[in-house]
Amino acid sequence: MPEISGFAFPNDIHVHWSLMIVMYPYITGFVAGSFIVTSLYHVFGRQEFKPIAKLSLAASFCFLLIAGMPLQLHLGHPERGIFVMITPHFTSAMAGFGLLYTTYLVIVALEVWFVWRQDIIEAARRARGLKRSLYKAMALWTYDSSPEAQEVDHKVITVLAGIGLPMACMLHGYVGFIFGAIKANPWWSTPLMPVIFLLSAAVSGIALLSVVYQVVSKLRRAPAEEPTVSALARWLWFFLILTITLELLEIIMLAYEKDESWHIISQLLTTRLEFSFITVQMIIGGMIPLILLGIVVMANKYMAPRLRNGLTVAASLLLLLQVFSMRWNVVIGGQLLSKSLRGLRSTYNPELFGREGVLMAIALFITPFVLMFLFDRLLPIHKAGEGAVPGEAKTGSAHV
Amino acid sequence: MSDTQYPAPAEAGAPQEPARRDFLEQGVKLASGAVVFFAGARALASSGGGAPGPKDNPFGEEYDWNEHRYAYVIDTKKCIGCGSCVRACRAENDVPDGFFRTWIERYIVGPEGSHVDSPNGGIDGFPPASVAFAAKKSFLVPKMCMHCTETPCVQVCPVGASYRTRDGVVMVDDQSCIGCGYCVQACPYGSRFLSPKTHTAEKCTWCYHRITKGLKPACVEVCPTQTRLFGDMKREDDPVRKIIETERVAILQPHLLTEPNCFYLHLDKEVR
């Protein structure tokens, strides 16, 4: 039984939204954040993101494929999960999930198809046997690779990315809305919540790609493009500044207004969430990356690639932790305080095994990377030899 | 789509409307077909049938839910904290241990501080308490689902498993509830929980199985001091209706505008 300090309503001592509900916004954050990166190239024409445009689209797609899993794992009746899709009750924010998720999945799947269409056609022509049939089916038996067709593809990609970007923002903003629109819980109920979620999604997506890009470059023995790393660091810094500002503003507003809930929320932050909020979310995950990225951005031209790569990856890894702790502090923190506003329950420790346990969460985090590996086997994310050091490409490439 | 439904193109100059209307009709039929299909799938999956439609009377001849609108009154001055109501609720509704459809809170208040507790929901009454400040008043407050008119819990249910009956009771259809817990988070009064037995949301139903037979909820039935009163706002001579209409009654957390149908007499500012 959890320990209670103060008085909690007797039913308020349970953490019904477990680690899986922490994982859900964490994963959809990667979906939205990665899509923002791919759109920076496809929609806004930022050439420095060209080397990772395919990588980020693949990442967004692979994380999206498992985005519904944590929800499904959390349900008391997983076999009824489909009801949200087929009999949605539209006054519920949660009922929007089916519609948003499906629409976005279709858009991303289409964009993937158009982006890789030429590769699919080429593979269909080259491959033999069963593999050939597979690629022919994936090409939808359309093999037009004329410059005119490619021009059309390019236009379609721009349009899809243009629709996909607001959809990605909505998919993730909606996750923030689920919490922000609960008037019963003062730690959640703020219109800032969807915005904070969205900005931290951008942070997590860019941080993830900064790390993955360096790892992929190492695997391919092709040095990471300097302008790409610099641009990632720059955008990461920008979104981090916005995120931290809003996360602090939310607290400062509550404190300054001396809201009726401030008494209990200040206790929550300084006792139960002292480590995960103050230490991890604000200092280790917030201030330190802010400084590291600030150095990268402001001293960029004096910086050796090795140092820049190192600082960016270090900051990105800390930010992956920061965003996780932010999700944790919102989801779990909101359930540690009772709606009596008079009591807090003891910290929630997730189980290790079981469908809502720590191992499952780790498996969920790893799965998209496995999917990305399979994706790369099927639809190469980098063309063989592209950007690689001559002579090393063939032996070192991850997918040859 | 046979040829008879899609006639050959009309001659030039002839109005195009019928063809378009045909198309729309087909579209509507297709869409409604899809709705029926999904509704059927849902009905099959839930195996308990959907919620009754507005014109249905799910109770047969004996009871008409259009003729009642229930309300509840709690007089906090009368509660002695015996816990009978909590025990009766547990027995009547098979409430799982550690969870509560109703509970009692004890308030001990002085100028320098306040103390609130509810040991095991007050099910065994209240042991003597000592506080570190000079207590000036103490009182007991029974709590339960407020059966709000503007229910946050019904609003957030993603599948419509939480609903409000026509006679004013908020209920959960345990055949459709997916156990997401969103309603538990949305209830400002802490009245809901996810049952470890059924893995669905559970809450006070005002003993709906009793009140639709003309009986009182179990908690009201056993209350020895008439702290808890249950009545019908559609009955002219109802004592509960009279209290709500003529006395100064209060509701919990009025700023949230949930419009509770559970009213309190002699409520203190300390109570939330």
Side-chain angles (χ1 to χ4, degrees):
Chain A
M1 282 293 281
E3 276 177 40
I4 309 295
S5 63
F7 168 68
F9 290 145
N11 289 326
D12 263 2
I13 62 171
H14 309 276
V15 172
H16 289 303
W17 280 4
S18 66
L19 183 58
M20 285 302 120
I21 305 298
V22 180
M23 289 306 288
Y24 168 59
Y26 196 48
I27 286 171
T28 53
F30 292 132
V31 174
S34 308
F35 200 85
I36 289 172
V37 175
T38 195
S39 299
L40 283 171
Y41 170 69
H42 284 302
V43 184
F44 299 105
R46 311 294 308 188
Q47 291 302 315
E48 61 269 34
F49 288 107
K50 191 176 179 188
I52 53 165
K54 279 185 166 180
L55 181 66
S56 43
L57 182 56
S60 187
F61 183 63
C62 293
F63 274 95
L64 183 62
L65 287 179
I66 63 139
M69 280 299 291
L71 291 183
Q72 191 65 18
L73 286 164
H74 157 261
L75 290 183
H77 281 273
E79 81 282 4
R80 298 178 186 167
I82 192 70
F83 290 0
V84 179
M85 301 274 206
I86 59 176
T87 54
H89 180 236
F90 279 116
T91 61
S92 168
M94 214 177 258
F97 175 78
L99 201 64
L100 279 170
Y101 181 84
T102 317
T103 316
Y104 184 64
L105 184 64
V106 168
I107 289 170
V108 177
L110 279 174
E111 188 171 339
V112 165
W113 189 74
F114 277 103
V115 167
W116 269 272
R117 206 172 78 84
Q118 297 307 322
D119 303 79
I120 298 172
I121 293 170
E122 209 177 297
R125 284 180 182 146
R126 264 208 324 250
R128 291 282 169 270
L130 200 64
K131 213 171 161 190
R132 186 184 174 90
S133 312
L134 174 71
Y135 280 110
K136 281 170 86 172
M138 280 172 65
L140 301 179
W141 298 277
T142 306
Y143 312 104
D144 189 353
S145 54
S146 62
E148 297 80 44
Q150 293 199 26
E151 184 59 30
V152 172
D153 285 356
H154 185 71
K155 279 183 186 155
V156 173
I157 289 166
T158 310
V159 171
L160 282 172
I163 303 170
L165 187 58
M167 282 301 300
C169 292
M170 274 203 269
L171 183 71
H172 199 70
Y174 140 87
V175 179
F177 185 90
I178 286 201
F179 297 96
I182 294 293
K183 64 181 171 186
N185 191 322
W187 179 229
W188 289 347
S189 174
T190 159
L192 281 181
M193 198 57 88
V195 189
I196 294 176
F197 265 74
L198 197 51
L199 289 171
S200 64
V203 168
S204 71
I206 301 172
L208 179 82
L209 282 162
S210 298
V211 177
V212 172
Y213 182 46
Q214 295 290 352
V215 172
V216 169
S217 300
K218 278 269 181 294
L219 289 174
R220 298 180 63 232
R221 303 198 186 161
E225 299 276 345
E226 286 183 38
T228 308
V229 178
S230 303
L232 281 169
R234 210 161 47 235
W235 284 89
L236 192 52
W237 194 53
F238 171 68
F239 279 115
L240 178 61
I241 291 170
L242 292 180
T243 307
I244 298 282
T245 308
L246 286 189
E247 284 173 6
L248 281 175
L249 262 179
E250 187 201 347
I251 310 290
I252 294 168
M253 289 282 278
L254 280 172
Y256 194 79
E257 281 186 348
K258 293 196 175 71
D259 191 278
E260 63 166 345
S261 59
W262 174 242
H263 176 68
I264 196 75
I265 288 178
S266 61
Q267 277 186 42
L268 176 74
L269 295 178
T270 51
T271 60
R272 304 295 195 271
L273 299 184
E274 188 187 9
F275 177 70
S276 58
F277 183 78
I278 299 177
T279 311
V280 180
Q281 189 181 334
M282 284 300 155
I283 298 171
I284 297 178
M287 291 308 151
I288 294 177
L290 195 71
I291 295 166
L292 294 180
L293 290 169
I295 294 170
V296 174
V297 172
M298 288 185 282
N300 191 33
K301 58 181 171 181
Y302 311 108
M303 209 166 262
R306 225 181 131 80
L307 180 62
R308 184 191 300 117
N309 292 347
L311 285 178
T312 311
V313 168
S316 299
L317 288 172
L318 290 176
L319 284 172
L320 291 178
L321 185 67
Q322 196 267 353
V323 175
F324 182 82
S325 63
M326 178 264 175
R327 311 303 194 217
W328 175 277
N329 291 329
V330 170
V331 177
I332 303 299
Q335 297 171 86
L336 297 184
L337 78 99
S338 170
K339 290 161 191 161
S340 67
L341 302 189
R342 281 175 177 273
L344 299 172
R345 62 154 275 167
S346 51
T347 314
Y348 157 76
N349 294 313
E351 51 183 7
L352 184 61
F353 303 101
R355 65 185 171 114
E356 297 190 62
V358 176
L359 291 179
M360 185 59 88
I362 294 171
L364 273 176
F365 185 72
I366 293 172
T367 308
F369 295 103
V370 176
L371 291 175
M372 275 167 79
F373 175 76
L374 296 174
F375 186 105
D376 186 56
R377 306 294 296 188
L378 202 59
L379 305 171
I381 292 171
H382 295 93
K383 282 211 166 63
E386 182 189 64
V389 176
E392 284 189 322
K394 276 180 185 159
T395 48
S397 176
H399 53 78
V400 168
Chain B
M1 292 184 195
S2 66
D3 286 340
T4 49
Q5 285 169 310
Y6 274 101
E11 285 172 27
Q16 294 293 312
E17 279 308 307
R20 190 182 299 161
R21 192 177 302 142
D22 270 1
F23 172 76
L24 284 175
E25 271 174 22
Q26 296 292 332
V28 169
K29 277 179 196 164
L30 191 65
S32 44
V35 169
V36 169
F37 170 75
F38 283 135
R42 159 78 176 276
L44 268 177
S46 67
S47 73
K55 283 181 185 164
D56 300 340
N57 184 359
F59 304 93
E61 297 288 305
E62 310 88 58
Y63 179 82
D64 185 354
W65 64 354
N66 295 304
E67 288 174 5
H68 305 273
R69 176 64 50 85
Y70 297 112
Y72 203 102
V73 164
I74 295 172
D75 186 346
T76 60
K77 266 196 167 173
K78 289 182 178 167
C79 182
I80 55 171
C82 64
S84 303
C85 48
V86 185
R87 291 191 295 277
C89 177
R90 181 133 306 181
E92 181 71 27
N93 297 301
D94 195 21
V95 181
D97 280 346
F99 297 88
F100 301 89
R101 289 189 181 199
T102 185
W103 67 96
I104 308 168
E105 296 171 3
R106 171 171 63 183
Y107 289 73
I108 303 170
V109 184
E112 281 92 39
S114 61
H115 170 88
V116 188
D117 64 356
S118 180
N120 200 15
I123 195 164
D124 302 313
F126 290 81
S130 58
V131 290
F133 54 86
K136 294 290 180 192
K137 60 181 172 183
S138 179
F139 49 89
L140 294 137
V141 183
K143 292 266 192 90
M144 59 199 289
C145 171
M146 299 287 120
H147 294 276
C148 310
T149 305
E150 289 297 326
T151 49
C153 54
V154 170
Q155 182 191 16
V156 301
C157 177
V159 294
S162 277
Y163 60 99
R164 191 163 173 267
T165 60
R166 297 190 140 205
D167 37 12
V169 184
V170 177
M171 309 255 277
V172 181
D173 175 7
D174 65 358
Q175 299 297 310
S176 328
C177 175
I178 60 173
C180 68
Y182 204 10
C183 57
V184 179
Q185 310 292 358
C187 173
Y189 308 103
S191 308
R192 286 176 169 244
F193 54 88
L194 284 179
S195 164
K197 287 181 190 163
T198 61
H199 306 289
T200 58
E202 224 187 274
K203 63 182 290 300
C204 161
T205 61
W206 276 343
C207 288
Y208 201 64
H209 56 289
R210 291 173 57 88
I211 59 174
T212 48
K213 293 186 179 75
L215 300 167
K216 290 197 182 317
C219 51
V220 176
E221 192 73 52
V222 300
C223 181
T225 58
Q226 294 197 322
T227 300
R228 292 168 173 264
L229 302 169
F230 185 72
D232 188 343
M233 298 299 280
K234 286 200 174 171
R235 262 181 50 206
E236 290 278 341
D237 56 342
D238 192 280
V240 165
R241 175 173 162 172
K242 194 171 172 230
I243 292 173
I244 294 166
E245 283 179 348
T246 59
E247 303 277 335
R248 287 156 181 76
V249 289
I251 51 172
L252 296 180
Q253 304 192 46
H255 61 285
L256 294 181
L257 306 177
T258 57
E259 295 179 30
N261 288 296
C262 179
F263 298 86
Y264 283 87
L265 285 167
H266 307 110
L267 197 67
D268 189 84
K269 67 176 174 56
E270 293 287 330
V271 183
R272 185 182 162 82

